[in-house]
Amino acid sequence: MTEKRRFLMLALISTLLLVSCASEEPAYTLPQRQFSDHAEQNKAEKQFSENDPAQTLNKNIYVFNAQLDDYVLLPVVNAYTDVTPDFLRRGITNFFLNVSEITNFTNALLQIRPVKAGQTLSRFVINTTIGLAGTFDVATLWGVEREPEDFGKTLGYWGAGPGIYIVLPALGPSNLRDTIGKIADYATLYFIIPKSVQDTAVYDVASYGLQPINERYTNDFRYFSTGSPFDYELVRFIATEAREQEIANDSKPAQP
Amino acid sequence: MNKQKVMVSIQLNVAFLRYVTFATFGLLVACATSGTTLPSPKQAYGSQPVYNYPLNDPYAATVITVPPELKVDYSNVPIPTDRTITLFEERAIPDGFWYQRGLKYAELLQKDPAPLVYIIPGTGADSQASIMRTLANILYSSGYSVVLLPSPTNPNFIINASKDFLPGPPTHDAFDIYRLIQAIDHKISQKTTVTGHMLVGYSLGAIDAAFTAQLDNTQQRINFNKILLINPPFSLYSSIKMLNDYLYSDLPNGMDGAGLFVKRVITRFSKLSHGEEALNFENEHYLLDYYTKFHPSDNQLASIIGLSFRLSAGDMIFTSDVMRHGGYVFPKDETFTTSTNLNLYLAVALRTSFLDYFNDVLSQADTSENKSLTKAEIINESSLASATPYLFHNTKIGLITNRDDIILAPGDLESLLNLFGPNAVVFPTGGHMGNIALPAMAYQIVTFMKKPLP
């Protein structure tokens, strides 16, 4: 390590230390109403505060995502909605949902749930063939319901808790377990989809162009749409609780 | 999974906590469409529809509102356009409110010259609230242009349109609303011909409308032809007190049990969904499904209503305090930034009721229009009784309310009927705003708006 680099490292570390020290002591006057005055001591809960040690970073990414929406993603989605007919957009959404059956299938296997695995596999086969490469969801019409699974859910199925709350750049609210899950699912798809397909220009357009647009188009979540100054905290709470509930409900044996 | 279902689930996730807020119940319902035998608007107003509201429990009515199959189909009415306007050019808005720059309202204008209706929502709500959309649909399909305003208690309004950041008392907020309406009216008159002005408000917005109209009566800058109050409180203070008490009906320790309470509601809702996503519903009936499956008691429903009111109050109190550097729930010398840790402030804001704000902030403050009023004076001024000389049997002013409105204290309904006399319509059921999407309600609203003045 050169002298210069060592100096830079030292400077960086001391800055970080300074920053963390500075945040220890509040440099402001306490407000009139204090938590300790208005809550039953020890028993009081801080409402809607989930496990969020990386909050400062998360909040900055949350704002970044909101601005990415405002300046890039939503204008692109609006243009997409303007230039494409409804049936085409539905076909594209169906196409990507059909690709995700691969993820549903692998995770049903990892959860050792053969019925679910069979269901997702037959959906994939039906929709890929009769449903014209997945653009029509024939399987649902025939009563074979979609069973969305992902590796985050699989980890949850085997008992993993959510871990810390994480706001992912562009993708939004998540947690440690589901972030690992996303990476694993992505890697699995990468290995399963044949190289001959991945090397085509069509694949590039689909995965780097259409897929993100479709993703944002089908997702109606809007940052800061609660109108509350506590938008981040409310969304964190709802996103976390809803996801845990989803995993809990999915893990229970199916009712007859 | 089709797009509609995805949309429903996502909107739910975001809006869930606010869904019970008076104005935003229907955010959930609003995003779902479909239905088979819906009456068209023409059918709905042609002759007087029968009053067929199915729920007799006022708490259930308030939370569940109108079942989808009884609603009028407005799918042909365009979605209102979102607009922003700046009223105080010089105002410094802290970084933490970066997304609140500019007052947000929505407009739905007729192509031809038409009368223009301004609508004021209930506590904390804005133009996105489903009740606002319902009112816009009713009025637009009857030939009116419509402007949807935020409530003076909504954070966006406080930040951008409040002169001294002390929302709450309707006589005081009327000045802010009136200034805003004039600014918007100026913009609209440049692009379309307005043939008359009307004002509609519901819940807290109704009492706001009454005092704004009274102000207009003296200043005569807009000259509203018609003013309609839907489910107003009679005395704001006593309604606030009732809503505050509702919180404790199933939560004896107040906010100290609220996190668990909300989690339980989420768990129950998730059981109704299709297993794909926790709050993803197959149809629009899930509110009714929730009710019929879990039979929540009146106490539980009242706590949901009280909790949503507390959330709105917390938003209002926190926003007002940050903007005026009041040092009430947020340190007066701390800068509110995008990364300020709000966990503790949220916990405190949720434990601060509208009544606390009334006692600790409003009663102590010198407002721009009213110099240090006593608590008793503010309470008196916040009652429709204080506007009796203007309101009494005034043919320009209509009232629609429900006999079982849960924000009316004993005697309030009689006081309202005395005040509005022949201009009052009272439905037997519906709770607070529960029956707004019913054809019989649309009929009464349009009938009042179209009735020629003597």
Side-chain angles (χ1 to χ4, degrees):
Chain A
M1 195 185 273
T2 66
E3 202 57 30
K4 201 176 168 192
R5 280 180 84 180
R6 195 172 297 159
F7 172 75
L8 277 175
M9 284 292 280
L10 204 72
L12 186 69
I13 291 167
S14 47
T15 314
L16 284 174
L17 281 174
L18 274 177
V19 170
S20 58
C21 289
S23 61
E24 287 293 306
E25 276 179 54
Y28 43 76
T29 335
L30 291 173
Q32 186 184 336
R33 286 175 80 89
Q34 287 292 305
F35 184 61
S36 47
D37 302 339
H38 298 285
E40 260 185 90
Q41 291 295 324
N42 303 324
K43 277 199 293 180
E45 50 168 323
K46 278 182 221 158
Q47 271 73 27
F48 315 132
S49 59
E50 302 285 346
N51 181 10
D52 188 11
Q55 184 173 161
T56 308
L57 179 63
N58 279 340
K59 281 200 157 185
N60 284 322
I61 297 174
Y62 196 81
V63 171
F64 168 79
N65 285 354
Q67 290 174 343
L68 185 71
D69 258 7
D70 285 354
Y71 295 114
V72 184
L73 294 179
L74 296 181
V76 169
V77 165
N78 288 339
Y80 171 69
T81 323
D82 285 345
V83 298
T84 53
D86 197 44
F87 76 90
L88 183 64
R89 291 197 298 274
R90 198 171 308 141
I92 289 168
T93 301
N94 283 339
F95 173 81
F96 287 111
L97 283 175
N98 191 49
V99 174
S100 72
E101 295 290 355
I102 300 172
T103 307
N104 298 343
F105 175 69
T106 53
N107 282 293
L109 286 184
L110 290 170
Q111 292 172 27
I112 320 182
R113 295 163 97 175
V115 177
K116 205 167 237 198
Q119 202 171 331
T120 53
L121 184 64
S122 43
R123 277 184 59 87
F124 184 71
V125 171
I126 294 167
N127 284 343
T128 307
T129 54
I130 302 164
L132 305 178
T135 51
F136 292 91
D137 184 4
V138 184
T140 301
L141 288 179
W142 290 359
V144 191
E145 290 285 321
R146 210 178 114 79
E147 294 285 344
E149 290 296 339
D150 55 67
F151 195 63
K153 269 172 114 171
T154 300
L155 292 173
Y157 182 79
W158 295 116
I164 61 168
Y165 181 71
I166 294 176
V167 180
L168 294 172
L171 298 172
S174 187
N175 55 50
L176 186 61
R177 179 197 58 214
D178 293 342
T179 303
I180 294 169
K182 266 192 190 1
I183 296 166
D185 286 331
Y186 189 80
T188 313
L189 271 186
Y190 180 80
F191 284 112
I192 287 182
I193 296 175
K195 287 284 164 295
S196 55
V197 175
Q198 291 195 29
D199 288 342
T200 59
V202 175
Y203 179 83
D204 283 347
V205 171
S207 59
Y208 301 113
L210 264 185
Q211 207 253 343
I213 297 173
N214 175 64
E215 188 97 342
R216 196 66 192 99
Y217 164 70
T218 49
N219 187 337
D220 218 35
F221 172 76
R222 295 290 179 270
Y223 293 91
F224 297 102
S225 64
T226 61
S228 166
F230 306 108
D231 183 84
Y232 172 89
E233 287 74 15
L234 298 180
V235 168
R236 177 179 65 191
F237 176 74
I238 292 296
T240 305
E241 292 306 319
R243 177 71 174 168
E244 289 324 287
Q245 209 52 58
E246 183 186 337
I247 289 169
N249 289 352
D250 186 47
S251 301
K252 285 191 194 103
Q255 284 172 357
Chain B
M1 183 161 61
N2 57 33
K3 175 164 186 270
Q4 190 179 308
K5 268 167 63 184
V6 179
M7 282 178 59
V8 174
S9 75
I10 305 291
Q11 284 227 3
L12 272 169
N13 289 349
V14 185
F16 186 78
L17 271 173
R18 286 172 63 81
Y19 94 97
V20 260
T21 307
F22 289 133
T24 48
F25 294 117
L27 254 180
L28 308 167
V29 184
C31 44
T33 49
S34 86
T36 42
T37 55
L38 301 177
S40 73
K42 220 177 205 160
Q43 262 175 288
Y45 318 138
S47 60
Q48 184 162 1
V50 281
Y51 185 75
N52 55 347
Y53 192 69
L55 299 166
N56 289 321
D57 182 325
Y59 298 94
T62 305
V63 175
I64 291 159
T65 69
V66 176
E69 64 272 14
L70 296 178
K71 286 184 185 171
V72 186
D73 176 20
Y74 291 110
S75 48
N76 56 341
V77 175
I79 293 167
T81 314
D82 293 332
R83 302 270 183 225
T84 55
I85 188 169
T86 307
L87 294 165
F88 299 96
E89 296 279 353
E90 310 284 289
R91 179 164 289 179
I93 296 172
D95 233 21
F97 286 132
W98 68 275
Y99 57 95
Q100 293 283 29
R101 296 200 172 116
L103 181 119
K104 295 170 187 156
Y105 66 99
E107 66 187 23
L108 194 51
L109 304 179
Q110 303 281 350
K111 287 195 183 70
D112 302 321
L116 173 62
V117 188
Y118 286 92
I119 312 180
I120 310 172
T123 311
D126 61 16
S127 62
Q128 308 297 316
S130 97
I131 296 175
M132 291 295 268
R133 289 290 168 84
T134 303
L135 287 168
N137 288 338
I138 293 169
L139 292 162
Y140 182 86
S141 59
S142 305
Y144 296 92
S145 290
V146 183
V147 167
L148 309 176
L149 301 172
S151 161
T153 54
N154 174 280
N156 180 262
F157 188 108
I158 299 169
I159 294 165
N160 292 289
S162 172
K163 194 175 172 191
D164 51 22
F165 313 116
L166 283 168
T171 44
H172 164 265
D173 289 348
F175 286 92
D176 291 333
I177 296 169
Y178 200 49
R179 184 185 311 111
L180 172 63
I181 289 180
Q182 288 174 67
I184 295 175
D185 215 69
H186 179 70
K187 273 177 83 171
I188 288 180
S189 64
Q190 290 171 339
K191 51 185 172 187
T192 184
T193 308
V194 175
T195 59
H197 288 91
M198 304 183 175
L199 190 59
V200 173
Y202 69 83
S203 191
L204 173 66
I207 211 166
D208 286 332
F211 286 103
T212 305
Q214 190 187 31
L215 184 64
D216 180 51
N217 194 45
T218 51
Q219 301 204 351
Q220 312 230 325
R221 301 218 183 107
I222 298 283
N223 297 311
F224 293 110
N225 315 109
K226 286 275 179 70
I227 301 101
L228 178 61
L229 319 185
I230 305 172
N231 285 55
F234 179 70
S235 151
L236 180 63
Y237 191 78
S238 67
S239 291
I240 287 171
K241 252 172 118 163
M242 290 176 80
L243 285 161
N244 194 54
D245 290 345
Y246 287 152
L247 174 70
Y248 298 91
S249 49
D250 199 44
L251 286 169
N253 296 324
M255 290 309 295
D256 279 352
L260 217 62
F261 181 85
V262 175
K263 282 182 191 183
R264 199 172 64 212
V265 175
I266 292 179
T267 306
R268 285 175 159 195
F269 264 113
S270 77
K271 300 265 190 287
L272 296 173
S273 61
H274 183 58
E276 287 188 355
E277 284 177 61
L279 299 175
N280 178 16
F281 302 108
E282 288 282 275
N283 58 46
E284 302 169 76
H285 295 86
Y286 50 83
L287 283 175
L288 198 59
D289 288 350
Y290 181 93
Y291 183 63
T292 45
K293 183 163 181 186
F294 297 108
H295 303 290
S297 65
D298 275 358
N299 279 345
Q300 285 169 333
L301 290 167
S303 272
I304 290 178
I305 294 163
L307 188 59
S308 77
F309 186 70
R310 181 62 73 83
L311 276 174
S312 295
D315 288 351
M316 175 191 81
I317 293 163
F318 179 84
T319 307
S320 143
D321 198 43
V322 169
M323 290 307 290
R324 64 190 289 266
H325 301 282
Y328 183 51
V329 292
F330 187 79
K332 60 173 130 190
D333 43 8
E334 190 183 351
T335 317
F336 178 47
T337 70
T338 50
S339 54
T340 303
N341 186 328
L342 297 182
N343 287 349
L344 257 179
Y345 302 134
L346 171 60
V348 173
L350 288 173
R351 285 175 174 79
T352 308
S353 70
F354 213 127
L355 292 177
D356 294 322
Y357 170 76
F358 230 100
N359 294 329
D360 301 341
V361 180
L362 288 180
S363 311
Q364 313 295 327
D366 285 350
T367 66
S368 55
E369 271 82 21
N370 306 313
K371 285 284 170 215
S372 352
L373 292 177
T374 65
K375 189 182 165 192
E377 284 170 324
I378 301 175
I379 292 172
N380 280 338
E381 277 207 352
S382 303
S383 165
L384 287 176
S386 75
T388 302
Y390 169 65
L391 297 174
F392 189 76
H393 292 208
N394 186 335
T395 44
K396 276 164 50 174
I397 307 170
L399 166 83
I400 301 179
T401 192
N402 301 324
R403 189 165 292 284
D404 61 354
D405 189 341
I406 56 165
I407 68 161
L408 295 180
D412 281 356
L413 182 67
E414 291 68 26
S415 305
L416 283 173
L417 294 178
N418 283 336
L419 197 53
F420 293 90
N423 311 316
V425 172
V426 182
F427 288 112
T429 54
H432 187 67
M433 302 302 299
N435 52 358
I436 189 76
L438 215 59
M441 177 63 94
Y443 176 84
Q444 290 297 347
I445 291 172
V446 175
T447 304
F448 171 77
M449 300 303 266
K450 300 236 181 226
K451 190 166 68 184
L453 287 171

